[in-house]
Amino acid sequence: MAAAILRRLTTLTPAAAASARVAPRPLLPLLARGVSDSTDAITVETSVPFKSHIVDPPSRSATTSARELLSFFRDMALMRRSEIAADSLYKAKLIRGFCHLYDGQEAVAVGMEAAITRADAIITAYRDHCLYLARGGDLVAAFAELMGRRDGCSRGKGGSMHFYKRDANFFGGHGIVGAQVPLGCGIAFAQRYRKEGTVTFDLYGDGAANQGQLFEALNMAALWKLPVILVCENNHYGMGTAEWRASKSPAYYKRGDYVPGLKVDGMDVLAVKQACKFAKDHVLENGPIILEMDTYRYHGHSMSDPGSSYRTRDEIAGIRQERDPIERVRKLILAHDFATAQELKDMEKEIRKQVDAAIAKAKESPMPDPSELFTNVYVNDCGLESFGVDRKVVRTVLP
Amino acid sequence: MAAAAASSTLHGVGAVASPKPRSAAPAAARRSARVAAVAAKGGAGPARGRLVARNAVAAKADEAAAAAGSKSGGHEVLMFEALREALIEEMNLDPTVCVMGEDVGHYGGSYKVTKGLAEMFGDLRVLDTPIAENSFTGMGVGAAMKGLRPVVEGMNMGFLLLAYNQISNNCGMLHYTSGGQFKIPIVIRGPGGVGRQLGAEHSQRLESYFQSIPGLQMVACSTPYNAKGLMKAAIRSENPVVLFEHVLLYNLKEKIPDEEYICCLEEAEMVRPGEHVTILTYSRMRYHVMQAAKTLVNKGYDPEVIDIRSLKPFDLHTIGNSIKKTHRVLIVEECMRTGGIGASLRSAIIDNFWDYLDAPIMCLSSQDVPTPYAATLEDATVVQPAQIVAAVEQICQ
């Protein structure tokens, strides 16, 4: 009798039974589909239509496929996990100095990458870890660089704000707000000069949007029809200053005046991809365009900023609830039955293991050799030697 | 590479499919050219050709005045023409070399250094920029990261202060912070120094401002011969180089070799060998020194004059050998006194050659004032030959 009562008490409650029915566990091997790898095209509407300035916006119907959506999910989950792991490493004092995290903004990096090739160039400011990963950067090298180790992507000499990957045309990684914008126009100039048919994505934030050099560079880019796409990652806060307190006109996509612009929901990876594809085709014909990505960062400006003195926790939680880029893709995948919730969870677990393994490997990397202090200051040129204090007495061959 | 037909559109002339590969052979040729230049140039500047105005000092005739290796007689040029020749030669040799700056194209350059280049190479390779120093210098750095070799002109070195962030943080540091991935083979050039009553903001002496930027090389040219040689070397260097020209030296005339030559970026130039005192100078002050040397020779002194040319790094080999011989040093510069090139040079000499010095190092710099407009005050701002003579007399007591 007691056993029967116990059995009844331990069976599923009606609610649990109901949800279990909606996503049934495959009972037989034949019913185990696995995650879909289909490349059949499906059409998805972006969250909101694009707003545009002096250009006809692209359609809000984006094409994608199961394979692509799952790769988006994986890539964004990897980025999310990496940034959170970096948070822990920073609190454990393994990462020092400034550390600017990208969690919340992953859709911009992933959507952009999906629309272009590695021959196109990307340059950004200091919130660069995920752009580096999107460009094919190595996870171990990223963590090693954050911890200042020899196997870091900049040999431990750059740090969080100076990730680069030349063979993937990723130009960094810049600490001074706005200074990368003219650099990006210069890269586009070289692409035009060499008639490469490629474009440059020149990323900056809502804070940098007020830099004079941006308008200078925009003028030149428009004058010479440089194939540059200026991407404003508008996360609405320039460190602690909200956009409405810093910018008379927070419609960053309109600030190009004579340069067209698009406002894009930066939390919707398909919208980002659609806009970037549109932008690439546009600039090759017509010169520069501005893309304003309406996005959000969950962390503060950097690890030194709790991020809650100038915005409410409710706001942060609200965005996480309503607009999180990974959740959006998860819902899409589940709605189209490309994978089950459990399979996606398993993927995330796998990713977590991957990140942990990368961190462990990165921790094994030693600090740079003391001689590295002097390497890469100059480029060795025609076998020229650098003469330090006395040309005869102390002599270093420049690496 | 023949200069293609001129084009006024921005599609560029001789537009680049891929840059000419820099193989080992040209490198060897460059090295031998450098060696030849060094060997041939001997010591005597004036023996090589006619230098205009206030510098004709009878040089010590012990160096073979073999006319700087000019076998075919050479040709006379003004300084701005020498710089121009260097640009044209390098742009013909390498399609990735391009020029950008204000009024460098259609206007021909405010000091005519780029006159005619836009017609020869097109508007993309000789780019007229808007007045936006910060961003076009940044653009030059970005283009260099992507494989071009830009020559960025500051219409006046003073204007480049607006681009200081780009020069310091991006140009100088990117090779290091990227762990060696990116190189910035850019040349930043322009006139500086005190001119003829141009006013404070157009008469700045800014060598000191750039000298502590790591990763940057700095050279100052002073004769048409070394202007052409240094410009070519700077363009070929894989490192960013700042080439300081001087507003008052553009019309200096000199005979330079017909055949190709380059100068070594890190080497100093022996202008006048001597025994009694080492005078270290650069740019326009070289001429004030040589004028003072005339007076000094008449008074029985035998100064050794070295044009240091390389402001970063210093050629302590040449300088050291000279100090070991003369044991007395006078630095004559146009730079600001505080934190100037002279200040750094003094420290470097004290650190390395203290035991060889018989007298304190004297340094004559320009005054730490904004350059006044009035002619008499302006003359008092920079070092004049009379002061140099007095200083040598004091050192040699």
CSV table of all heavy atoms in Angstrom, one decimal, chain A residues 153-155 164 166 176 179 183 186 192-194 196 213 216 224 373 376 378-379 381-382 384 389-391, chain B residues 10 16 31 34 95 125 128 132 135 138-139 146 166 174-177 179 181 216 237 239 315-317 353:
chain,number,residue,atom,x,y,z
A,153,CYS,N,47.8,35.4,-29.3
A,153,CYS,CA,47.7,35.7,-30.8
A,153,CYS,C,48.6,36.9,-31.1
A,153,CYS,O,48.9,37.2,-32.2
A,153,CYS,CB,46.3,35.9,-31.2
A,153,CYS,SG,45.3,37.0,-30.2
A,154,SER,N,49.0,37.7,-30.1
A,154,SER,CA,49.9,38.8,-30.3
A,154,SER,C,51.2,38.6,-29.5
A,154,SER,O,51.8,39.5,-29.1
A,154,SER,CB,49.3,40.2,-29.9
A,154,SER,OG,48.2,40.5,-30.8
A,155,ARG,N,51.4,37.3,-29.2
A,155,ARG,CA,52.6,36.9,-28.5
A,155,ARG,C,52.6,37.5,-27.0
A,155,ARG,O,53.7,37.6,-26.4
A,155,ARG,CB,53.9,37.3,-29.2
A,155,ARG,CG,54.0,36.5,-30.5
A,155,ARG,CD,54.9,37.2,-31.5
A,155,ARG,NE,56.3,37.1,-31.1
A,155,ARG,CZ,57.3,36.9,-32.0
A,155,ARG,NH1,56.9,36.7,-33.3
A,155,ARG,NH2,58.5,36.8,-31.7
A,164,TYR,N,44.7,40.5,-33.3
A,164,TYR,CA,44.8,40.7,-34.8
A,164,TYR,C,44.9,39.4,-35.4
A,164,TYR,O,45.4,38.4,-34.8
A,164,TYR,CB,46.0,41.6,-35.2
A,164,TYR,CG,46.1,42.9,-34.5
A,164,TYR,CD1,46.8,42.9,-33.2
A,164,TYR,CD2,45.7,44.0,-35.0
A,164,TYR,CE1,46.9,44.1,-32.5
A,164,TYR,CE2,45.8,45.2,-34.3
A,164,TYR,CZ,46.4,45.3,-33.1
A,164,TYR,OH,46.6,46.5,-32.5
A,166,ARG,N,46.1,38.6,-39.3
A,166,ARG,CA,46.4,39.1,-40.6
A,166,ARG,C,45.9,38.2,-41.7
A,166,ARG,O,45.4,38.7,-42.7
A,166,ARG,CB,47.9,39.4,-40.7
A,166,ARG,CG,48.3,40.0,-42.0
A,166,ARG,CD,49.6,40.7,-41.9
A,166,ARG,NE,50.1,40.9,-43.2
A,166,ARG,CZ,51.1,40.2,-43.7
A,166,ARG,NH1,51.7,39.3,-43.1
A,166,ARG,NH2,51.5,40.5,-45.0
A,176,ILE,N,42.3,53.2,-28.7
A,176,ILE,CA,41.9,54.6,-28.7
A,176,ILE,C,40.6,54.8,-29.4
A,176,ILE,O,40.5,54.4,-30.6
A,176,ILE,CB,43.0,55.5,-29.3
A,176,ILE,CG1,44.3,55.3,-28.6
A,176,ILE,CG2,42.5,57.0,-29.3
A,176,ILE,CD1,44.3,55.7,-27.2
A,179,ALA,N,40.0,55.9,-33.3
A,179,ALA,CA,41.2,55.9,-34.1
A,179,ALA,C,41.2,54.9,-35.2
A,179,ALA,O,41.9,55.0,-36.2
A,179,ALA,CB,42.5,55.8,-33.2
A,183,LEU,N,41.8,54.2,-40.0
A,183,LEU,CA,42.6,53.0,-40.4
A,183,LEU,C,41.7,52.2,-41.4
A,183,LEU,O,42.2,51.7,-42.4
A,183,LEU,CB,43.0,52.2,-39.2
A,183,LEU,CG,44.0,52.7,-38.3
A,183,LEU,CD1,44.4,51.6,-37.3
A,183,LEU,CD2,45.3,53.2,-39.0
A,186,GLY,N,41.6,53.5,-44.7
A,186,GLY,CA,42.9,53.3,-45.3
A,186,GLY,C,42.9,51.9,-45.9
A,186,GLY,O,43.5,51.7,-47.0
A,192,ARG,N,40.8,49.4,-52.9
A,192,ARG,CA,40.4,50.1,-54.1
A,192,ARG,C,41.6,50.2,-55.0
A,192,ARG,O,41.5,50.0,-56.2
A,192,ARG,CB,39.8,51.4,-53.7
A,192,ARG,CG,39.6,52.4,-54.8
A,192,ARG,CD,38.2,52.8,-55.1
A,192,ARG,NE,38.2,53.2,-56.5
A,192,ARG,CZ,38.2,54.5,-56.8
A,192,ARG,NH1,38.1,55.4,-55.9
A,192,ARG,NH2,38.2,54.9,-58.1
A,193,TYR,N,42.7,50.6,-54.4
A,193,TYR,CA,43.9,50.9,-55.1
A,193,TYR,C,44.4,49.6,-55.9
A,193,TYR,O,44.8,49.7,-57.0
A,193,TYR,CB,45.0,51.3,-54.1
A,193,TYR,CG,46.3,51.7,-54.6
A,193,TYR,CD1,46.6,53.1,-54.6
A,193,TYR,CD2,47.3,50.8,-55.0
A,193,TYR,CE1,47.9,53.5,-55.0
A,193,TYR,CE2,48.6,51.3,-55.4
A,193,TYR,CZ,48.8,52.6,-55.4
A,193,TYR,OH,50.1,53.1,-55.8
A,194,ARG,N,44.2,48.5,-55.2
A,194,ARG,CA,44.6,47.2,-55.8
A,194,ARG,C,43.5,46.5,-56.6
A,194,ARG,O,43.7,45.4,-57.0
A,194,ARG,CB,45.2,46.3,-54.7
A,194,ARG,CG,46.3,46.8,-54.0
A,194,ARG,CD,46.6,46.1,-52.7
A,194,ARG,NE,47.5,45.1,-52.9
A,194,ARG,CZ,48.5,44.8,-52.1
A,194,ARG,NH1,48.6,45.5,-51.0
A,194,ARG,NH2,49.4,43.8,-52.4
A,196,GLU,N,40.8,45.0,-55.6
A,196,GLU,CA,40.6,43.7,-55.1
A,196,GLU,C,39.1,43.2,-55.2
A,196,GLU,O,38.8,42.1,-55.1
A,196,GLU,CB,41.0,43.6,-53.7
A,196,GLU,CG,42.5,43.6,-53.5
A,196,GLU,CD,42.9,43.4,-52.1
A,196,GLU,OE1,42.1,43.2,-51.2
A,196,GLU,OE2,44.1,43.5,-51.8
A,213,GLN,N,37.3,62.5,-36.2
A,213,GLN,CA,38.0,61.8,-37.2
A,213,GLN,C,37.1,60.9,-38.0
A,213,GLN,O,37.4,60.5,-39.1
A,213,GLN,CB,39.2,61.1,-36.7
A,213,GLN,CG,38.9,60.1,-35.6
A,213,GLN,CD,40.2,59.6,-34.9
A,213,GLN,OE1,41.2,59.3,-35.6
A,213,GLN,NE2,40.2,59.5,-33.6
A,216,GLU,N,35.7,63.1,-40.7
A,216,GLU,CA,36.8,63.3,-41.7
A,216,GLU,C,37.0,62.1,-42.6
A,216,GLU,O,37.0,62.2,-43.8
A,216,GLU,CB,38.1,63.6,-40.9
A,216,GLU,CG,38.2,64.8,-40.1
A,216,GLU,CD,39.5,65.0,-39.4
A,216,GLU,OE1,40.5,64.3,-39.7
A,216,GLU,OE2,39.6,65.8,-38.5
A,224,TRP,N,36.1,59.5,-52.5
A,224,TRP,CA,36.9,58.6,-53.3
A,224,TRP,C,36.2,57.3,-53.5
A,224,TRP,O,36.7,56.4,-54.1
A,224,TRP,CB,38.3,58.4,-52.8
A,224,TRP,CG,39.0,59.7,-52.6
A,224,TRP,CD1,39.0,60.8,-53.4
A,224,TRP,CD2,39.8,60.1,-51.5
A,224,TRP,NE1,39.8,61.8,-52.9
A,224,TRP,CE2,40.3,61.4,-51.8
A,224,TRP,CE3,40.2,59.4,-50.3
A,224,TRP,CZ2,41.2,62.0,-50.9
A,224,TRP,CZ3,41.1,60.1,-49.5
A,224,TRP,CH2,41.5,61.4,-49.7
A,373,LEU,N,60.8,41.6,-25.0
A,373,LEU,CA,60.5,43.0,-24.8
A,373,LEU,C,61.0,43.9,-26.0
A,373,LEU,O,60.3,44.9,-26.3
A,373,LEU,CB,61.3,43.5,-23.5
A,373,LEU,CG,61.1,44.9,-23.1
A,373,LEU,CD1,59.7,45.2,-22.7
A,373,LEU,CD2,62.0,45.2,-21.9
A,376,ASN,N,60.0,42.9,-32.4
A,376,ASN,CA,58.9,43.6,-33.1
A,376,ASN,C,58.7,45.1,-32.8
A,376,ASN,O,57.7,45.6,-33.1
A,376,ASN,CB,57.5,42.9,-32.7
A,376,ASN,CG,57.5,41.4,-33.0
A,376,ASN,OD1,57.2,40.6,-32.1
A,376,ASN,ND2,57.9,41.0,-34.1
A,378,TYR,N,60.9,47.2,-34.3
A,378,TYR,CA,61.1,47.5,-35.7
A,378,TYR,C,61.0,46.2,-36.5
A,378,TYR,O,61.2,45.1,-36.0
A,378,TYR,CB,62.5,48.1,-35.9
A,378,TYR,CG,62.7,49.4,-35.3
A,378,TYR,CD1,63.4,49.6,-34.1
A,378,TYR,CD2,62.1,50.6,-35.9
A,378,TYR,CE1,63.6,50.8,-33.5
A,378,TYR,CE2,62.3,51.8,-35.3
A,378,TYR,CZ,63.0,51.9,-34.1
A,378,TYR,OH,63.2,53.2,-33.6
A,379,VAL,N,60.9,46.4,-37.8
A,379,VAL,CA,60.9,45.2,-38.7
A,379,VAL,C,62.4,45.2,-39.3
A,379,VAL,O,62.9,46.2,-39.7
A,379,VAL,CB,60.0,45.4,-39.9
A,379,VAL,CG1,60.1,44.3,-40.9
A,379,VAL,CG2,58.6,45.5,-39.4
A,381,ASP,N,65.1,45.0,-41.7
A,381,ASP,CA,65.1,45.5,-43.1
A,381,ASP,C,66.4,45.3,-43.8
A,381,ASP,O,67.4,46.0,-43.4
A,381,ASP,CB,64.7,47.0,-43.1
A,381,ASP,CG,64.3,47.5,-44.4
A,381,ASP,OD1,64.1,46.7,-45.3
A,381,ASP,OD2,64.4,48.8,-44.5
A,382,CYS,N,66.5,44.5,-44.8
A,382,CYS,CA,67.7,44.3,-45.6
A,382,CYS,C,68.9,44.0,-44.6
A,382,CYS,O,70.0,44.3,-44.9
A,382,CYS,CB,68.1,45.6,-46.3
A,382,CYS,SG,66.8,46.1,-47.5
A,384,LEU,N,69.5,45.1,-41.8
A,384,LEU,CA,70.1,46.2,-41.0
A,384,LEU,C,70.1,45.9,-39.6
A,384,LEU,O,69.2,45.2,-39.0
A,384,LEU,CB,69.2,47.5,-41.2
A,384,LEU,CG,69.4,48.2,-42.6
A,384,LEU,CD1,68.4,49.3,-42.6
A,384,LEU,CD2,70.8,48.7,-42.7
A,389,VAL,N,73.2,51.7,-27.8
A,389,VAL,CA,73.9,52.9,-27.2
A,389,VAL,C,75.2,53.2,-28.0
A,389,VAL,O,75.5,54.3,-28.3
A,389,VAL,CB,74.2,52.7,-25.7
A,389,VAL,CG1,72.9,53.1,-25.0
A,389,VAL,CG2,74.5,51.3,-25.4
A,390,ASP,N,76.0,52.1,-28.2
A,390,ASP,CA,77.2,52.4,-29.0
A,390,ASP,C,77.2,51.4,-30.2
A,390,ASP,O,77.0,50.2,-30.0
A,390,ASP,CB,78.5,52.1,-28.1
A,390,ASP,CG,79.8,52.4,-28.8
A,390,ASP,OD1,80.0,51.8,-29.9
A,390,ASP,OD2,80.5,53.3,-28.4
A,391,ARG,N,77.5,51.9,-31.3
A,391,ARG,CA,77.4,51.1,-32.5
A,391,ARG,C,78.3,49.8,-32.5
A,391,ARG,O,78.0,48.8,-33.0
A,391,ARG,CB,77.7,51.9,-33.7
A,391,ARG,CG,77.1,51.3,-34.9
A,391,ARG,CD,77.1,52.4,-36.0
A,391,ARG,NE,76.6,51.8,-37.2
A,391,ARG,CZ,75.8,52.4,-38.1
A,391,ARG,NH1,75.5,53.7,-37.9
A,391,ARG,NH2,75.4,51.8,-39.2
B,10,LEU,N,39.9,59.0,-60.7
B,10,LEU,CA,40.5,58.3,-59.5
B,10,LEU,C,40.7,56.8,-59.8
B,10,LEU,O,41.1,56.1,-58.9
B,10,LEU,CB,39.6,58.4,-58.3
B,10,LEU,CG,39.8,59.7,-57.6
B,10,LEU,CD1,38.9,59.8,-56.4
B,10,LEU,CD2,41.3,59.9,-57.2
B,16,VAL,N,47.3,48.7,-59.6
B,16,VAL,CA,48.2,47.6,-59.2
B,16,VAL,C,47.5,46.2,-59.2
B,16,VAL,O,46.5,46.0,-58.7
B,16,VAL,CB,48.6,47.8,-57.7
B,16,VAL,CG1,49.5,46.8,-57.2
B,16,VAL,CG2,49.2,49.2,-57.6
B,31,ARG,N,72.1,47.3,-50.8
B,31,ARG,CA,73.2,47.3,-49.9
B,31,ARG,C,74.4,47.8,-50.5
B,31,ARG,O,75.2,48.6,-50.0
B,31,ARG,CB,73.4,45.9,-49.3
B,31,ARG,CG,73.4,45.8,-47.8
B,31,ARG,CD,73.5,44.4,-47.3
B,31,ARG,NE,72.2,43.8,-47.2
B,31,ARG,CZ,71.8,42.6,-47.7
B,31,ARG,NH1,72.7,41.9,-48.4
B,31,ARG,NH2,70.6,42.1,-47.5
B,34,ARG,N,74.3,51.4,-51.0
B,34,ARG,CA,74.6,52.1,-49.8
B,34,ARG,C,76.1,52.1,-49.5
B,34,ARG,O,76.6,53.1,-49.1
B,34,ARG,CB,73.9,51.3,-48.6
B,34,ARG,CG,73.9,52.1,-47.3
B,34,ARG,CD,73.2,51.3,-46.3
B,34,ARG,NE,74.1,50.5,-45.5
B,34,ARG,CZ,73.8,49.3,-45.0
B,34,ARG,NH1,72.6,48.8,-45.1
B,34,ARG,NH2,74.7,48.6,-44.3
B,95,PRO,N,54.9,49.8,-57.6
B,95,PRO,CA,53.6,50.4,-57.7
B,95,PRO,C,52.8,50.6,-56.4
B,95,PRO,O,51.7,51.2,-56.5
B,95,PRO,CB,52.9,49.3,-58.6
B,95,PRO,CG,53.7,48.1,-58.6
B,95,PRO,CD,55.1,48.5,-58.2
B,125,ARG,N,47.2,57.6,-57.0
B,125,ARG,CA,48.6,57.4,-56.4
B,125,ARG,C,49.2,58.7,-55.9
B,125,ARG,O,50.1,58.7,-55.1
B,125,ARG,CB,49.5,56.9,-57.5
B,125,ARG,CG,49.4,55.4,-57.7
B,125,ARG,CD,50.4,54.9,-58.6
B,125,ARG,NE,51.6,54.6,-57.8
B,125,ARG,CZ,52.8,54.2,-58.4
B,125,ARG,NH1,52.9,54.1,-59.7
B,125,ARG,NH2,53.8,53.9,-57.6
B,128,ASP,N,45.1,64.0,-53.4
B,128,ASP,CA,44.8,65.2,-52.8
B,128,ASP,C,43.8,65.0,-51.6
B,128,ASP,O,42.7,64.6,-51.9
B,128,ASP,CB,44.2,66.2,-53.8
B,128,ASP,CG,45.2,67.0,-54.6
B,128,ASP,OD1,46.3,67.3,-54.0
B,128,ASP,OD2,44.9,67.3,-55.7
B,132,ALA,N,42.5,67.2,-43.2
B,132,ALA,CA,42.0,66.3,-42.2
B,132,ALA,C,43.2,65.5,-41.7
B,132,ALA,O,43.2,64.3,-42.0
B,132,ALA,CB,40.9,65.5,-42.7
B,135,SER,N,42.8,62.0,-39.8
B,135,SER,CA,42.3,60.9,-40.5
B,135,SER,C,43.1,60.5,-41.7
B,135,SER,O,43.1,59.3,-42.1
B,135,SER,CB,40.8,61.0,-40.8
B,135,SER,OG,40.6,62.3,-41.3
B,138,GLY,N,45.9,58.5,-40.5
B,138,GLY,CA,45.3,57.2,-40.1
B,138,GLY,C,45.1,56.4,-41.3
B,138,GLY,O,45.3,55.2,-41.3
B,139,MET,N,44.5,57.0,-42.3
B,139,MET,CA,44.3,56.2,-43.6
B,139,MET,C,45.6,55.7,-44.1
B,139,MET,O,45.7,54.6,-44.6
B,139,MET,CB,43.7,57.2,-44.6
B,139,MET,CG,42.2,57.1,-44.7
B,139,MET,SD,41.5,58.0,-46.1
B,139,MET,CE,42.3,57.2,-47.4
B,146,LYS,N,47.7,47.2,-45.0
B,146,LYS,CA,47.1,46.4,-46.1
B,146,LYS,C,48.0,46.2,-47.2
B,146,LYS,O,47.7,45.6,-48.2
B,146,LYS,CB,45.8,47.0,-46.5
B,146,LYS,CG,44.9,46.1,-47.4
B,146,LYS,CD,44.2,45.0,-46.7
B,146,LYS,CE,43.2,44.3,-47.6
B,146,LYS,NZ,43.8,43.2,-48.4
B,166,GLN,N,47.6,59.1,-34.2
B,166,GLN,CA,47.7,58.1,-35.2
B,166,GLN,C,49.2,57.8,-35.4
B,166,GLN,O,49.6,56.6,-35.6
B,166,GLN,CB,47.2,58.6,-36.6
B,166,GLN,CG,45.7,58.9,-36.6
B,166,GLN,CD,44.9,57.6,-36.6
B,166,GLN,OE1,45.4,56.5,-36.6
B,166,GLN,NE2,43.6,57.7,-36.4
B,174,LEU,N,51.8,49.5,-33.9
B,174,LEU,CA,51.0,48.3,-34.4
B,174,LEU,C,51.9,47.1,-34.7
B,174,LEU,O,51.4,46.0,-34.5
B,174,LEU,CB,50.2,48.7,-35.6
B,174,LEU,CG,48.8,49.2,-35.3
B,174,LEU,CD1,48.2,49.9,-36.5
B,174,LEU,CD2,48.0,48.1,-34.8
B,175,HIS,N,53.1,47.3,-35.1
B,175,HIS,CA,54.0,46.2,-35.3
B,175,HIS,C,54.2,45.4,-34.1
B,175,HIS,O,54.2,44.1,-34.0
B,175,HIS,CB,55.3,46.6,-35.9
B,175,HIS,CG,56.1,45.5,-36.4
B,175,HIS,ND1,55.8,44.6,-37.4
B,175,HIS,CD2,57.4,45.0,-36.0
B,175,HIS,CE1,56.7,43.7,-37.6
B,175,HIS,NE2,57.7,43.9,-36.7
B,176,TYR,N,54.3,46.1,-33.0
B,176,TYR,CA,54.6,45.4,-31.7
B,176,TYR,C,53.3,44.8,-31.1
B,176,TYR,O,53.3,43.7,-30.7
B,176,TYR,CB,55.1,46.5,-30.7
B,176,TYR,CG,55.7,46.0,-29.4
B,176,TYR,CD1,57.0,45.7,-29.4
B,176,TYR,CD2,54.9,46.0,-28.3
B,176,TYR,CE1,57.6,45.3,-28.1
B,176,TYR,CE2,55.5,45.6,-27.1
B,176,TYR,CZ,56.8,45.2,-27.0
B,176,TYR,OH,57.4,44.9,-25.8
B,177,THR,N,52.2,45.6,-31.0
B,177,THR,CA,51.0,45.1,-30.4
B,177,THR,C,50.4,43.9,-31.2
B,177,THR,O,49.6,43.2,-30.6
B,177,THR,CB,50.0,46.2,-30.2
B,177,THR,OG1,49.7,46.8,-31.4
B,177,THR,CG2,50.5,47.2,-29.2
B,179,GLY,N,52.2,41.6,-32.4
B,179,GLY,CA,53.1,40.5,-32.3
B,179,GLY,C,53.9,40.3,-33.6
B,179,GLY,O,54.2,39.2,-33.9
B,181,GLN,N,52.7,40.9,-36.7
B,181,GLN,CA,51.8,40.5,-37.8
B,181,GLN,C,51.8,41.7,-38.9
B,181,GLN,O,51.9,41.4,-40.1
B,181,GLN,CB,50.4,40.2,-37.4
B,181,GLN,CG,50.3,38.9,-36.7
B,181,GLN,CD,48.8,38.6,-36.3
B,181,GLN,OE1,48.0,38.4,-37.2
B,181,GLN,NE2,48.6,38.7,-35.0
B,216,LEU,N,59.3,54.1,-34.3
B,216,LEU,CA,59.4,55.1,-35.3
B,216,LEU,C,60.9,55.3,-35.6
B,216,LEU,O,61.7,55.3,-34.7
B,216,LEU,CB,58.8,56.4,-34.8
B,216,LEU,CG,58.0,57.3,-35.7
B,216,LEU,CD1,56.9,56.5,-36.4
B,216,LEU,CD2,57.4,58.4,-34.9
B,237,SER,N,62.3,51.4,-46.5
B,237,SER,CA,62.3,50.8,-45.2
B,237,SER,C,61.0,50.2,-44.8
B,237,SER,O,59.9,50.7,-45.2
B,237,SER,CB,62.7,51.9,-44.2
B,237,SER,OG,62.5,51.4,-42.9
B,239,ASN,N,60.0,50.0,-41.8
B,239,ASN,CA,59.6,50.6,-40.6
B,239,ASN,C,59.0,52.0,-40.9
B,239,ASN,O,59.3,52.6,-42.0
B,239,ASN,CB,60.8,50.8,-39.7
B,239,ASN,CG,61.3,49.5,-39.2
B,239,ASN,OD1,60.6,48.7,-38.7
B,239,ASN,ND2,62.6,49.3,-39.4
B,315,ASP,N,73.5,57.7,-34.5
B,315,ASP,CA,74.7,57.0,-35.0
B,315,ASP,C,75.8,57.2,-34.0
B,315,ASP,O,76.7,58.0,-34.3
B,315,ASP,CB,75.0,57.5,-36.4
B,315,ASP,CG,76.3,56.8,-37.0
B,315,ASP,OD1,76.8,55.8,-36.3
B,315,ASP,OD2,76.7,57.1,-38.1
B,316,LEU,N,75.7,56.4,-32.9
B,316,LEU,CA,76.8,56.6,-31.9
B,316,LEU,C,78.1,56.1,-32.3
B,316,LEU,O,79.1,56.4,-31.7
B,316,LEU,CB,76.3,56.0,-30.6
B,316,LEU,CG,75.2,56.9,-29.9
B,316,LEU,CD1,74.7,56.2,-28.7
B,316,LEU,CD2,75.8,58.2,-29.6
B,317,HIS,N,78.2,55.3,-33.4
B,317,HIS,CA,79.5,54.8,-33.9
B,317,HIS,C,80.3,56.0,-34.4
B,317,HIS,O,81.4,56.3,-33.9
B,317,HIS,CB,79.2,53.8,-34.9
B,317,HIS,CG,80.5,53.3,-35.5
B,317,HIS,ND1,81.5,52.6,-34.8
B,317,HIS,CD2,80.9,53.3,-36.8
B,317,HIS,CE1,82.4,52.3,-35.6
B,317,HIS,NE2,82.2,52.6,-36.8
B,353,PHE,N,80.3,57.8,-23.5
B,353,PHE,CA,81.7,58.4,-23.8
B,353,PHE,C,82.2,59.3,-22.7
B,353,PHE,O,83.0,60.1,-22.9
B,353,PHE,CB,81.6,59.1,-25.1
B,353,PHE,CG,81.1,58.2,-26.2
B,353,PHE,CD1,79.9,58.6,-26.9
B,353,PHE,CD2,81.7,57.1,-26.6
B,353,PHE,CE1,79.4,57.8,-27.9
B,353,PHE,CE2,81.2,56.3,-27.6
B,353,PHE,CZ,80.0,56.6,-28.2
